[in-house]
């Protein structure tokens, strides 16, 4: 039996939670390598489908809130930070020294967090523009046009003023 077949069997055993320290006869790699491959599979699945799954849950929450006639609950559900933690995990995984998920490069995490902060300022401008247009009697199209205009304006202004990413270009030591 080939090493690949043994690893497939070990993966099934590993999924059942049995015999974790097991070494496969005739195969130099321990079962730990199979678990590492399985973890990499989870990472790939989260990267590929995590955003879709989260988006579906958010849309279900907004729809449920709308059915119950609660615009406030719909707003709360739609503003829960769901994409940021997912993106943080992906950035951490992809920037890890040596490919492991335990030691991401600090500069990548700092750059991500600073860009998120810049995006938060933009989101505040987005929502503020929506509120102002709504209070003046504008419809949803006018609200979105003003909101996206405000978002883009603040993004470029904050980048121009150097508020977006002061640690850009720095490297880890």
């Amino acid at each position: 039996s080939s090493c690949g077949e043994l690893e497939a069997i070990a993966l099934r055993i590993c999924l059942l939670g049995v015999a974790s320290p097991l070494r496969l006869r005739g195969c130099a790699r321990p079962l730990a390598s199979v678990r590492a491959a399985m973890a990499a599979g989870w990472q790939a699945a989260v990267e590929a489908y995590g955003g879709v799954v989260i988006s579906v849950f958010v849309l279900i929450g907004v729809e449920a809130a709308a059915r119950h006639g609660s615009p406030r609950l719909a707003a709360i559900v739609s503003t829960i930070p769901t994409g940021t933690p997912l993106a943080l995990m992906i950035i951490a995984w992809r920037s890890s020294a040596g490919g492991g998920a335990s030691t991401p490069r600090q500069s990548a995490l700092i750059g991500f967090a600073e860009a998120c902060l810049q995006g938060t300022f933009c989101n505040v401008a987005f929502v503020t523009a929506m509120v102002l247009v709504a209070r003046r009697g504008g419809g949803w199209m006018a609200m979105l046009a003003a909101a996206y205009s405000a978002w883009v304006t603040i993004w470029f202004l904050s980048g121009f003023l150097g508020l977006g990413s002061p640690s850009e270009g720095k490297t880890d030591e």
Side-chain angles (χ1 to χ4, degrees):
S1 177
S2 76
C3 186
E5 291 171 355
L6 288 173
E7 283 186 337
I9 293 168
L11 179 60
R12 286 189 207 111
I13 293 170
C14 184
L15 288 172
L16 295 172
V18 181
S20 61
L22 178 69
R23 266 202 181 276
L24 302 174
R25 279 187 298 152
C27 183
R29 289 180 275 181
L31 186 59
S33 69
V34 175
R35 284 195 173 187
M38 193 171 85
W42 279 106
Q43 288 179 0
V46 169
E47 288 180 27
Y49 303 110
V52 172
V53 171
I54 288 171
S55 296
V56 167
F57 282 123
V58 168
L59 289 174
I60 289 170
V62 170
E63 175 65 23
R67 283 181 186 229
H68 293 318
S70 177
R72 182 174 171 81
L73 182 58
I76 291 169
V77 170
S78 70
T79 58
I80 293 172
T82 54
T84 302
L86 177 64
L88 176 61
M89 287 188 319
I90 293 169
I91 294 298
W93 290 336
R94 290 193 177 192
S95 70
S96 295
S102 61
T103 56
R105 284 188 19 235
Q106 199 63 26
S107 63
L109 297 179
I110 292 169
F112 175 79
E114 289 171 346
C116 285
L117 184 60
Q118 182 182 10
T120 299
F121 295 142
C122 298
N123 287 342
V124 169
F126 183 96
V127 174
T128 301
M130 280 191 343
V131 169
L132 293 174
V133 171
R135 287 182 178 171
R136 293 182 184 262
W140 69 272
M141 293 280 287
M143 290 170 66
L144 287 179
Y148 278 111
S149 296
W151 193 96
V152 169
T153 301
I154 298 301
W155 181 266
F156 284 113
L157 284 176
S158 62
F160 178 73
L161 296 173
L163 302 175
S165 183
S167 68
E168 218 171 82
K170 292 183 183 175
T171 59
D172 286 344
E173 297 185 19

